[in-house]
């Protein structure tokens, strides 16, 4: 069944107030993604993962050592709820997002979220967002892990070289058309190759779906 895939965009969170509810490993990953985007991050949780305690001590995030209160959402652009088991909180956040006009994401509950959080591949300035539209988050995670193995240190250097070339051409090449041609020439020959190997569970399922062909005249 095809699900609503949404409309893929990148949020500019540089200098904007964002909030993470929860203090475990899931919250750590989301906090780092927000900091990577330049957001100002507040974490609301009675307990904190050791990595979050270090970020708090260094002044990189603000920590409120208690449970979430509705007033915490004032002035917040995005709320990320990393708690799984509090459905009442999830529902209240969904309603609060309407009144406070902010975005909200609750883990594993897309029906109570206003955005989808894709799996993210990172290498230098490269960002590849992977989403299965909520159909198979586990597959999105595996795809991310596989793609991360493809983009090595040389790719990081290649991307930096392309960025430097683009900046150089801005100042040395007057023609927009020629700049585009030079940049196209710079990536000509780059190719990403690979193959897929499917799990036995899928192979067996596929075989079961194939109906046997009857004998002629049978």
């Amino acid at each position: 069944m095809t699900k609503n895939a949404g409309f893929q965009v990148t949020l500019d969170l540089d200098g904007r107030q964002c909030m993470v509810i929860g203090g475990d490993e899931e919250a750590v990953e989301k906090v780092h993604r927000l900091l990577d985007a330049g957001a100002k991050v507040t974490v609301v949780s009675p307990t904190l993962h050791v990595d979050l305690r270090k970020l708090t001590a260094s002044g990189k995030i603000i920590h409120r050592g208690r449970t979430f209160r509705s007033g915490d959402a004032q002035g917040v652009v995005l709320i990320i709820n990393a708690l799984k088991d509090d459905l009442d909180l999830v529902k209240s956040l969904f309603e609060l997002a309407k009144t406070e006009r902010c975005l909200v994401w609750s883990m594993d509950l897309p029906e109570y979220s206003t955005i989808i959080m894709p799996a993210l591949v990172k290498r230098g300035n490269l960002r590849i967002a992977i989403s299965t539209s909520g159909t198979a988050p586990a597959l999105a995670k595996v795809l991310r892990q596989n793609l991360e193995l493809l983009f090595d240190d040389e790719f990081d250097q290649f991307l930096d070289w392309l960025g430097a070339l683009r900046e150089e051409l801005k100042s040395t090449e007057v023609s927009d058309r020629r700049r585009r041609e030079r940049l196209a020439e710079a990536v000509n020959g780059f190719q990403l190759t690979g193959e897929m190997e499917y799990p036995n569970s899928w192979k067996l399922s596929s075989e079961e779906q194939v109906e046997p062909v009857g004998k002629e005249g049978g």
Side-chain angles (χ1 to χ4, degrees):
M1 180 183 296
T2 302
K3 292 191 175 183
N4 184 353
F7 184 76
Q8 282 67 45
V9 298
T10 298
L11 295 177
D12 181 5
L13 297 178
D14 189 29
R16 298 177 182 271
Q17 298 288 344
C18 297
M19 179 165 291
V20 175
I21 302 174
D24 59 7
E25 290 185 1
E26 185 69 30
V28 171
E29 193 266 337
K30 297 301 183 289
V31 165
H32 280 295
R33 284 179 63 167
L34 288 171
L35 291 176
D36 184 50
K40 296 180 179 179
V41 183
T42 298
V43 175
V44 180
S45 176
T47 59
L48 276 186
H49 187 281
V50 60
D51 289 350
L52 295 178
R53 290 203 297 268
K54 292 178 180 178
L55 290 174
T56 302
S58 64
K60 293 182 178 179
I61 65 173
I62 296 173
H63 175 224
R64 295 176 181 167
R66 52 171 172 76
T67 57
F68 176 80
R69 300 171 185 170
S70 60
D72 293 333
Q74 293 182 0
V76 172
V77 174
L78 170 64
I79 298 174
I80 293 179
N81 176 27
L83 301 179
K84 293 183 178 180
D85 302 323
D86 192 339
L87 187 57
D88 289 337
L89 172 62
V90 169
K91 292 180 178 179
S92 67
L93 287 174
F94 190 65
E95 294 301 317
L96 189 62
K98 299 176 184 177
T99 58
E100 294 295 332
R101 297 185 178 181
C102 64
L103 300 173
V104 64
W105 177 83
S106 286
M107 185 166 55
D108 296 336
L109 289 169
E111 63 272 28
Y112 290 109
S113 302
T114 58
I115 61 171
I116 295 174
M117 187 78 68
L120 190 66
V121 178
K122 296 194 300 182
R123 167 59 74 171
N125 288 314
L126 176 72
R127 299 291 183 274
I128 300 177
I130 304 170
S131 172
T132 59
S133 304
T135 301
L139 176 60
K141 180 179 179 180
V142 172
L143 285 170
R144 173 184 62 80
Q145 293 170 340
N146 278 259
L147 285 172
E148 284 177 340
L149 297 175
L150 291 177
F151 298 102
D152 55 11
D153 290 338
E154 184 177 3
F155 176 85
D156 195 5
Q157 296 167 11
F158 174 60
L159 185 56
D160 285 345
W161 174 75
L162 288 172
L165 176 61
R166 182 170 181 265
E167 291 302 315
E168 178 186 341
L169 290 174
K170 284 182 180 179
S171 59
T172 61
E173 184 58 70
V174 178
S175 169
D176 289 342
R177 179 184 60 80
R178 184 54 186 155
R179 280 202 301 270
R180 291 193 295 269
E181 289 176 350
R182 290 281 304 278
L183 291 171
E185 291 168 1
V187 298
N188 185 31
F190 178 82
Q191 188 173 5
L192 184 65
T193 60
E195 60 183 27
M196 295 187 193
E197 178 63 35
Y198 292 95
N200 290 330
S201 56
W202 164 247
K203 294 176 181 178
L204 292 173
S205 176
S206 298
E207 291 172 359
E208 293 173 356
Q209 294 173 28
V210 177
E211 297 181 0
V213 178
K215 294 182 179 180
E216 184 176 349

